[in-house]
Amino acid sequence: MPLEILTIPCLSDNYAFLAHDAETGSTALIDAPEAGPILSALSNKGWKLSHVLLTHHHWDHVDALPDILAVHPAKVIGAAADAHRLPPLDQQVAEGDSVIIGNETGQIIDVSGHTVGHIAYHFPDSAAVFTADSLMALGCGRLFEGTAPQMWESLSKLAALPDDTIVYSGHEYTQANGRFAETIEPENADLQARILDIAAARAENRPTVPSSLALERATNPFLRAAEPAVQRNVGMQGAKPQDVFAEVRARKDRF
Ligand code: ZN
Ligand code: FE
């Protein structure tokens, strides 16, 4: 049975997620932006936290951890490369390692770029990947620490996951991302349709996260740096995808 995954809006635009294995009762929290909504979700469901999976060290992903652990003692997992600046970890992981949540195994993917040491958690049996601030809905995280080629490599690993993978990313930035995406690929019909869907969802205050990897590949400009249309539109036909990605990322920073 796949994990039951709950999306929890936190702070002004963050998302945390609970992933629950019904057979064993194990429940993992992915990132800890704000204790209140996460503790309410746990008590509404009657779930007891067993694991916390941290994606990266930024405050809006870890700050609520002590308040959550005070109510739900759980095993805290995060990147070995980030252990020096993450809260105390019970298990340190790196790419290729796995984490066990009940009957499910998650694979660690290094998605450095936004920060160096940012990791994603992929649960193939549940077709779920938790990407936080690496691959985001119609966007990607700003390059605070890593380089453009490094982020391109990270995004390429995520893009290679199966089509039906659902992408659980860390922020509700999708509508603004759409306004930028349109400037890169105005003729993309899938993108136009998605922008309308996003507007409808946001008008009703519905989250646009998670999204499907197939949709991200079809519409997310940061995954499309190898597409002839994107290369033509930024005047870089035939350039290396990592260089086109760098140009698209730089344009987003100025947008
Ligand atoms: Zn971040
Ligand atoms: Fe963040």
Side-chain angles (χ1 to χ4, degrees):
M1 220 198 318
L3 294 165
E4 180 181 346
I5 299 173
L6 222 62
T7 300
I8 307 170
C10 293
L11 304 174
S12 60
D13 56 32
N14 276 80
Y15 289 116
F17 304 96
L18 288 170
H20 176 74
D21 180 52
E23 275 164 59
T24 61
S26 294
T27 303
L29 169 68
I30 296 86
D31 282 344
E34 188 181 9
I38 292 167
L39 293 174
S40 302
L42 282 164
S43 73
N44 289 343
K45 281 287 190 178
W47 293 347
K48 207 166 129 290
L49 209 57
S50 55
H51 300 77
V52 181
L53 312 181
L54 298 175
T55 60
H56 68 297
H57 73 285
H58 283 161
W59 69 272
D60 61 313
H61 298 257
V62 302
D63 263 14
L65 190 62
D67 290 346
I68 292 165
L69 293 178
V71 183
H72 288 267
K75 179 176 176 176
V76 181
I77 300 172
D82 251 355
H84 63 286
R85 55 185 181 176
L86 286 171
L89 301 176
D90 299 304
Q91 185 184 345
Q92 300 188 9
V93 294
E95 176 153 294
D97 290 346
S98 40
V99 295
I100 312 281
I101 309 297
N103 292 327
E104 288 259 345
T105 302
Q107 310 291 346
I108 309 304
I109 305 173
D110 184 311
V111 291
S112 290
H114 174 69
T115 62
V116 172
H118 192 313
I119 54 175
Y121 297 86
H122 177 224
F123 291 86
D125 294 343
S126 293
V129 66
F130 297 94
T131 59
D133 298 356
S134 58
L135 174 60
M136 305 177 86
L138 211 40
C140 77
R142 195 177 277 263
L143 301 178
F144 285 120
E145 297 178 359
T147 62
Q150 195 170 25
M151 183 61 118
W152 174 250
E153 190 193 333
S154 297
L155 295 179
S156 300
K157 286 187 262 182
L158 296 169
L161 297 176
D163 249 330
D164 64 351
T165 306
I166 303 298
V167 181
Y168 295 84
S169 53
H171 289 269
E172 184 60 58
Y173 293 160
T174 320
Q175 198 155 26
N177 287 345
R179 286 191 282 272
F180 171 72
E182 261 187 314
T183 68
I184 299 296
E185 228 184 346
E187 71 282 20
N188 181 332
D190 293 327
L191 174 61
Q192 292 304 337
R194 187 176 185 187
I195 286 170
L196 294 177
D197 290 345
I198 292 162
R202 295 313 294 154
E204 296 169 9
N205 207 26
R206 279 187 283 118
T208 62
V209 172
S211 56
S212 82
L213 187 58
L215 184 60
E216 294 304 334
R217 277 203 292 255
T219 59
N220 187 324
F222 299 104
L223 291 186
R224 296 174 60 74
E227 292 294 322
V230 170
Q231 298 203 345
R232 189 175 57 244
N233 291 351
V234 300
M236 295 179 73
Q237 281 126 304
K240 278 199 264 175
Q242 66 178 48
D243 295 338
V244 178
F245 168 79
E247 171 63 17
V248 173
R249 186 60 252 180
R251 288 185 185 206
K252 175 68 160 61
D253 292 343
R254 294 193 299 265
F255 185 68

